[in-house]
């Protein structure tokens, strides 16, 4: 006899009146429920006729509002399920209570249906069959809150199409045939509404509205944190405690997790603690180590460095933390903890890990970033760089070419800058070398004011550490940035200081670089004879050193100097020589720069049409290699040529692109190009007006 039929014939319900039948077992509805309109609409749509899926899981991090959402949804759905609404807390994360066993849960559910407890089947399988049998043909709603695993849930699921099950969990639980709903923190607007509703306060002006915005941001838009903070505000005297004052006090708290308590119970901390305690030791250690990471996100390579662990094992652990909603995956392979979870991880590592272990883990991470940045810089630098001095870690990404180097630097930019921000004056070598490793990238990408601040710090740090070589390099790098921002006098002063240091060190390659940069400064300052003298000195040094890339750069700028002096034939010869060298040594950025210079020469010596063709080549190459400065210069040069040929509409469009790029990277070219744009735009408007008048 099939198990279903056996339980149908042998199990007796309790005598009528002997045991009340529970049909409406939902907890109290959530008063003042706000937000989550999209998620509510999704869950309410699950009860529509003809639905295919009968099980929906709602997962998310601790405190994100999973129980509140499904409780509200269950109350709104209740009338559609007249045969019963059942709610059971499975206690996966309840302090001092073990996770519920499905065999015990079924005992409660079956007795709620009126089954005599004495006639309950003794086994899990038997009770599961009986539960499903009693719901056959019924229309019932089952809410399973705080589930631990697939094994805990599966025996509890009704099998009849008329029933609907909503499951909440802190973990991503894969159930066959179930639709998952991942619950993220609230939107800023929803968070602000929740705060003011629960705090019984209405912002009276823009300053109070801004205070609400900042308070919920500091809560990470996490509903549990917002409700607790709003509860504290609700009990404050409105006459003495404005929202702005309350928010300012919270913002100034040293331990915000400590501020988010519930009558002496550190509610948010406790919610995080229960999830943390459920982790095995290796995941606990990695979670704590992530609290040491200074940047916004990380990948498996950075995590492996922090944890001093193999890459494959680290990937599995990151995925496990993601499944437990202790990390978010913000992009494939990139993870980020919620702000409050990050604070919790930092608290844990401070409380549990010895200072020397924390320091060592941080050094491993810094070594990883510095070594990989140095390898990437080899493909981005326009001048020869020494081989990386930081030994590569056991696991590091492959950076085989310029494109991959640029992609890695862009991806890790915020993390590299965060690492620099954490360094102190006692870590001079790290400040010097990590800043130097970002030089070429910052020169290309900007913003240059930020680059200038970093190089200034590196130069000062090197000087205090009596590191003359590091100081010379930092001054040289800073001078290059000052040139790009149009601060010619300061750029010259810095390059002269760098040149003196290189000469005292006997560093001929450094001298050549400083002479080249000083020549560029004099060129842009209009000191043509001095510029030519310095560039020729640099060229001679590069030739004696056999440095063909340096030769190409010096020739390129010598060509510009000859052009300004009106020596077009000599300028053409020098620029063509530079272009050939750039192509031979494989420097596409130098090639793009040389093409832009050739375009400027042709525009002056031959005409706009010939120049436009060269500018288009420069633009294509600049975009291909993602060089914003060369892209902007090609757009500007082409626009000026187009304006001369009468195509002002296209010229205006390209000028706007150029100005936007110049402004983004902080280039001095932004203002004069914007002024030319304004003039051309006015001329175009006057021309259009004249046509209309005619």
């Amino acid at each position: 006899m099939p198990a279903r039929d056996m339980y149908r014939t042998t199990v007796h319900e309790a005598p009528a009146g002997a045991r009340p039948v529970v049909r409406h077992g939902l907890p109290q509805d959530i008063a003042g429920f706000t937000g989550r309109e999209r998620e509510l609409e999704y869950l309410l749509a699950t009860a529509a006729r003809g639905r295919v899926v009968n099980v929906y899981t709602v997962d998310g991090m601790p405190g994100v509002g999973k129980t509140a959402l499904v409780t509200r949804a269950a109350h709104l759905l209740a009338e559609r399920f007249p045969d019963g609404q059942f709610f059971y807390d499975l206690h996966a994360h309840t302090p001092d209570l073990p996770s519920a066993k499905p065999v015990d849960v079924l005992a409660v559910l079956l007795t709620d249906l009126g089954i005599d407890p004495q006639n309950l089947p003794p086994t899990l399988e038997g009770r599961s069959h009986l539960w499903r049998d009693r719901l056959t043909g019924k229309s019932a709603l089952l809410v399973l809150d705080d589930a631990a695993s697939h094994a805990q849930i599966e025996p509890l699921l009704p099998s009849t199409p008329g029933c609907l099950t909503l499951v909440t969990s802190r973990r991503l639980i894969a159930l066959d045939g179930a639709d998952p709903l991942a619950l993220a923190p609230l939107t800023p607007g929803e968070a602000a509404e929740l705060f003011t509703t629960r705090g019984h306060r209405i912002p009276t002006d823009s300053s109070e509205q801004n205070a609400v915005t900042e308070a919920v941001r500091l809560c990470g838009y996490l509903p549990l944190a917002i409700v607790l903070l709003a509860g504290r505000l609700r009990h404050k005297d409105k006459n003495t405690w404005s929202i702005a004052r309350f928010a300012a006090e919270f913002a100034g708290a040293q331990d915000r997790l400590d501020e988010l308590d519930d009558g002496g119970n550190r509610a948010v901390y406790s919610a995080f603690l229960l999830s943390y305690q459920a982790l095995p030791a290796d995941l606990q250690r990695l979670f704590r180590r992530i609290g040491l990471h200074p940047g916004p996100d990380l990948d498996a390579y950075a995590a492996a460095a922090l944890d001093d662990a193999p890459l494959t094992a680290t990937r599995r652990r990151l995925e496990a933390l993601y499944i437990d909603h202790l990390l978010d995956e913000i992009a494939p392979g990139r993870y980020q903890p919620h702000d409050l979870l990050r604070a919790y991880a930092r608290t844990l590592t401070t409380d549990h890990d010895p200072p020397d272990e924390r320091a060592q883990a941080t050094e491993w991470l810094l070594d990883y970033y510095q070594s990989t940045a140095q390898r990437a810089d080899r493909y981005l630098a326009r001048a020869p760089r020494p081989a990386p001095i930081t030994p590569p870690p056991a696991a590091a990404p492959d950076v085989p070419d310029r494109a991959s180097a640029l992609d890695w630097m862009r991806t890790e930019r915020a993390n590299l800058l965060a690492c620099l921000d954490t360094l102190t004056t006692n870590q001079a070598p790290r400040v010097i070398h990590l800043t130097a490793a970002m030089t070429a990238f910052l020169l290309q990408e900007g913003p240059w004011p930020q680059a200038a601040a970093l190089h200034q710090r590196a130069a000062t740090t090197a000087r205090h550490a009596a590191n003359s070589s590091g100081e010379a390099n930092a001054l040289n790098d800073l001078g290059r940035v000052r040139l790009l921002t149009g601060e010619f006098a300061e750029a010259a002063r810095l390059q002269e200081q760098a040149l003196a240091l290189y000469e005292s060190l006997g560093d001929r390659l450094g001298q050549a670089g400083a002479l080249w940069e000083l020549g560029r400064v004099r060129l842009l300052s209009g000191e043509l004879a001095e510029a030519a003298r310095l560039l020729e000195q640099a060229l001679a040094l590069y030739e004696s050193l056999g440095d063909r890339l340096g030769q190409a750069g010096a020739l390129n700028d010598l060509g510009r100097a000859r052009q300004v002096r009106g020596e077009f034939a000599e300028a053409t010869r020098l620029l063509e020589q530079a272009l050939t060298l750039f192509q031979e040594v494989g420097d596409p950025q130098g090639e793009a720069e040389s093409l832009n210079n050739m375009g400027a020469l042709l525009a002056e010596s031959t005409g706009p049409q010939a120049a436009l063709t060269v500018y288009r080549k420069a633009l294509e190459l600049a975009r291909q290699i993602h060089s914003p400065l060369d892209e902007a210069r090609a757009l500007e040069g082409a626009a000026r040529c187009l304006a001369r040929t009468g195509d002002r509409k296209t010229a205006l469009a390209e000028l706007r692109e150029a100005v936007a790029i110049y402004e983004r990277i902080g280039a001095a070219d932004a203002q004069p190009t914007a002024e030319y744009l304004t003039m051309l735009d006015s001329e175009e408007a006057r021309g259009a007006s004249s046509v209309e008048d005619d």
Side-chain angles (χ1 to χ4, degrees):
M1 177 182 295
R4 290 178 183 271
D5 294 337
M6 177 180 70
Y7 291 119
R8 183 178 293 118
T9 57
T10 61
V11 175
H12 303 285
E13 296 187 4
R19 179 177 180 84
V21 176
V22 178
R23 299 291 187 195
H24 309 289
L26 297 179
Q28 184 177 353
D29 199 359
I30 306 299
F33 186 90
T34 59
R36 301 293 192 197
E37 292 181 5
R38 182 184 64 82
E39 292 88 349
L40 267 177
E41 287 176 5
Y42 172 79
L43 292 177
L44 294 181
T46 63
R49 290 183 178 180
R51 69 179 184 276
V52 177
V53 179
N54 297 306
V55 181
Y56 291 81
T57 60
V58 179
D59 57 77
M61 66 175 289
V64 81
K66 302 178 291 294
T67 302
L69 174 65
V70 297
T71 299
R72 179 64 181 143
H75 278 278
L76 294 173
L77 290 168
E79 63 181 15
R80 305 187 199 181
F81 297 94
D83 296 321
Q85 306 99 41
F86 306 96
F87 185 102
Y88 202 97
D89 188 342
L90 299 178
H91 296 299
H93 301 92
T94 303
D96 303 322
L97 278 180
S99 183
K101 296 178 180 179
V103 67
D104 297 330
V105 176
L106 285 166
V108 175
L109 292 173
L110 286 167
T111 52
D112 282 351
L113 285 178
I115 302 297
D116 190 333
Q118 297 181 14
N119 292 322
L120 289 177
T123 66
L124 173 61
E125 182 183 17
R127 293 181 182 183
S128 181
H129 283 317
L130 181 59
W131 166 246
R132 289 166 179 164
D133 176 80
R134 287 299 185 265
L135 291 179
T136 300
K138 304 285 187 180
S139 183
L141 172 64
L142 174 64
V143 178
L144 299 173
D145 188 39
D146 195 18
S149 65
H150 175 282
Q152 185 187 39
I153 300 169
E154 199 281 331
L156 311 179
L157 300 178
S159 58
T160 185
C163 294
L164 177 69
T165 304
L166 303 177
V167 182
T168 75
S169 177
R170 294 188 185 182
R171 309 186 74 239
L172 291 170
I173 298 177
L175 290 172
D176 292 338
D179 265 9
L181 173 62
L183 208 57
L186 297 170
T187 65
E190 290 174 333
E193 183 183 1
L194 178 61
F195 181 81
T196 55
T197 299
R198 291 301 184 92
H200 295 178
R201 295 287 189 96
I202 299 176
T204 57
D205 54 30
S206 60
S207 66
E208 290 220 324
Q209 187 58 59
N210 292 338
V212 171
T213 300
E214 178 64 6
V216 296
R217 185 191 69 80
L218 293 173
C219 287
Y221 309 114
L222 191 68
L224 175 60
I226 293 168
V227 167
L228 292 170
L229 190 65
R232 288 184 53 204
L233 175 62
R234 188 169 63 248
H235 291 94
K236 296 286 187 181
D237 186 340
K238 293 183 180 181
N239 295 320
T240 56
W241 280 92
S242 65
I243 297 176
R245 178 182 177 184
F246 179 81
E249 183 183 81
F250 179 60
Q254 289 188 342
D255 185 351
R256 293 197 189 107
L257 285 176
D258 225 14
E259 297 292 309
L260 299 170
D261 62 18
D262 181 17
N265 173 33
R266 300 175 72 191
V268 175
Y269 185 96
S270 298
F272 293 168
L273 177 63
L274 291 165
S275 289
Y276 171 76
Q277 288 178 333
L279 300 174
D282 60 335
L283 292 185
Q284 288 184 348
R285 183 187 65 247
L286 177 57
F287 180 71
R288 295 196 307 272
R289 293 276 172 85
I290 289 172
L292 297 171
H293 193 284
D297 59 12
L298 79 169
D299 62 3
Y301 293 104
L306 262 176
D307 205 29
D308 191 29
L311 184 64
T312 302
T314 301
R315 285 198 172 112
R316 288 197 302 267
R317 289 166 186 157
L318 288 170
E319 182 67 13
L321 290 173
Y322 166 69
I323 288 172
D324 281 330
H325 284 289
L326 294 173
L327 289 177
D328 295 324
E329 189 174 26
I330 58 172
R334 298 202 68 82
Y335 298 90
Q336 180 182 69
H338 183 274
D339 287 347
L340 292 179
L341 279 170
R342 188 193 305 276
Y344 175 62
R346 287 172 180 162
T347 299
L348 285 176
T349 192
T350 301
D351 292 345
H352 293 83
D353 298 324
D356 58 336
E357 287 187 15
R358 299 199 303 270
Q360 181 61 74
T362 301
E363 283 300 302
W364 288 329
L365 179 72
L366 293 172
D367 282 345
Y368 159 70
Y369 278 127
Q370 183 171 311
S371 172
T372 312
Q374 288 171 334
R375 287 191 295 117
D377 182 65
R378 287 186 301 171
Y379 295 102
L380 301 178
R382 300 294 313 287
R385 295 268 180 183
I389 60 171
T390 306
D398 190 22
V399 187
D401 51 35
R402 189 180 190 280
S404 60
L406 187 57
D407 182 64
W408 186 86
M409 292 291 266
R410 283 176 170 169
T411 300
E412 301 294 350
R413 176 192 188 114
N415 289 320
L416 293 168
L417 293 174
C419 287
L420 281 170
D421 284 344
T422 66
L423 298 178
T424 67
T425 54
N426 295 327
Q427 297 169 289
R430 183 80 72 186
V431 172
I432 295 166
H433 296 309
L434 186 52
T435 304
M438 295 189 69
T439 296
F441 174 72
L442 291 172
L443 280 172
Q444 174 171 321
E445 298 278 302
W448 292 329
Q450 181 184 51
L454 292 172
H455 292 311
Q456 181 63 70
R457 180 195 181 194
T460 302
T461 301
R463 186 179 309 115
H464 290 161
N467 184 334
S468 298
S469 177
E471 182 184 0
N473 290 334
L475 289 169
N476 178 257
D477 293 335
L478 180 56
R480 293 162 72 189
V481 174
R482 296 302 187 199
L483 174 63
L484 292 170
T485 56
E487 301 168 73
F488 299 148
E490 178 65 8
R493 185 184 69 81
L494 291 164
Q495 294 299 351
E496 287 167 352
Q497 288 180 359
L499 179 60
L501 283 169
Y502 285 132
E503 288 173 344
S504 69
L505 293 166
D507 183 346
R508 298 178 69 225
L509 183 59
Q511 293 173 52
L515 286 166
W516 176 22
E517 292 297 335
L518 195 52
R520 286 159 59 89
V521 175
R522 299 306 184 198
L523 172 60
L524 291 176
S525 301
E527 303 171 57
L528 301 183
E530 179 65 6
R533 184 185 71 80
L534 291 165
L535 290 169
E536 286 167 356
Q537 279 187 280
L539 178 61
L541 267 175
Y542 281 131
E543 287 174 341
S544 69
L545 293 166
D547 182 349
R548 302 178 74 214
L549 179 59
Q551 293 172 50
L555 287 166
N556 189 37
D557 287 308
L558 273 171
R560 294 171 66 197
R562 298 303 184 200
Q563 175 199 337
V564 175
R565 293 172 63 172
E567 302 171 16
F568 296 148
E570 179 64 7
T572 300
R573 185 187 70 81
L574 291 167
L575 288 175
E576 287 177 346
Q577 192 176 351
L579 180 60
T580 300
L581 275 173
F582 279 132
Q583 291 170 337
E584 289 176 353
V585 300
D587 181 10
Q589 189 175 354
E591 187 179 345
E593 185 179 329
S594 187
L595 285 169
N596 274 327
N597 290 338
M598 187 72 76
L601 172 61
L602 290 171
E604 187 175 357
S605 63
T606 304
Q609 205 58 54
L612 186 59
T613 301
V614 176
Y615 277 129
R616 289 300 185 223
K617 290 181 181 179
L619 179 61
E620 180 182 2
L621 181 57
R623 285 175 170 168
Q624 180 183 331
I625 63 174
H626 306 288
S627 177
L629 178 60
D630 293 307
E631 180 184 357
R633 285 180 173 166
L635 285 165
E636 180 194 351
R640 291 179 183 271
C641 291
L642 288 164
R644 288 172 62 187
T645 62
D647 188 357
R648 289 182 176 176
K649 184 176 181 180
T650 306
L652 286 168
E654 299 201 359
L655 279 172
R656 290 188 182 97
E657 281 190 75
V659 170
I661 295 172
Y662 283 143
E663 289 178 343
R664 189 183 78 237
I665 60 179
D669 307 72
Q671 183 176 346
T673 308
E675 290 172 353
Y676 177 64
L677 170 62
T678 301
M679 180 195 73
L680 193 64
D681 200 12
S682 298
E683 291 179 358
E684 177 69 6
R686 286 197 299 272
S689 176
S690 298
V691 170
E692 290 175 2
D693 292 342
D694 292 343

